[in-house]
Amino acid sequence: MNWAIDQLRDDVRFRTDVPRFDTPTAQSAYVTALREAVVTVLDDPNVTDRWARSLDATHHGRPYASLPHLDQVPADPDLTVRLTCPRARLDQNPDTGDWTLAAAGTAWDFAAPAGPLLTRLTTGQPATLGELAQQAGLPVADVAAALTALVQGQAAAVTGVGR
């Protein structure tokens, strides 16, 4: 219900003043409008999926300090990384092939070639930058740049060197 209430915050009917001092007819119309808005959210056949996707994407997981790599992940193929959010959501745009990773309350958009490295990360298992680069067919520097964004957003962490 908290999630549904959060969805309703975007609805103008929930942001208007309660007509406390208006006529009973106006007050009744106000309550009817609120009821309709609530029913609209809950009658959506995909409401459970929308709720689950939102919950997964906003779950902060277990933050892990990537010391000393807080600002930038160096292009070191031996660095080990992992996602810190076990409920991260990875979706591919069917039209463009691009990817969106939603985790730790943020969504990142990546070009299609990043798909294999993102898929590997969402398994929750640690991987080296070298392994991710090889799987994606990308330079280690590109993988490090992608991981830098995720580390800065606290969705991934550098966990060590090697395995």
Side-chain angles (χ1 to χ4, degrees), residues 34-54:
L34 295 181
R35 183 180 309 109
E36 289 171 356
V38 170
V39 168
T40 298
V41 168
L42 296 179
D43 271 353
D44 177 355
N46 298 317
V47 69
T48 304
D49 184 55
R50 287 180 49 222
W51 167 79
R53 294 177 72 72
S54 174

Side-chain angles (χ1 to χ4, degrees), residues 40-130:
T40 298
V41 168
L42 296 179
D43 271 353
D44 177 355
N46 298 317
V47 69
T48 304
D49 184 55
R50 287 180 49 222
W51 167 79
R53 294 177 72 72
S54 174
L55 185 67
D56 292 346
T58 58
H59 186 270
H60 286 284
R62 295 188 174 134
Y64 186 98
S66 295
L67 296 173
H69 310 294
L70 296 175
D71 291 334
Q72 184 173 355
V73 175
D76 179 348
D78 295 326
L79 281 181
T80 302
V81 295
R82 69 173 177 82
L83 286 185
T84 59
C85 302
R87 297 167 87 168
R89 298 293 294 226
L90 181 61
D91 294 302
Q92 186 175 26
N93 181 321
D95 297 327
T96 65
D98 292 344
W99 294 86
T100 299
L101 177 70
T106 304
W108 293 269
D109 293 323
F110 294 92
L117 80 93
L118 296 170
T119 301
R120 172 71 186 274
L121 286 172
T122 58
T123 67
Q125 298 301 312
T128 66
L129 293 186

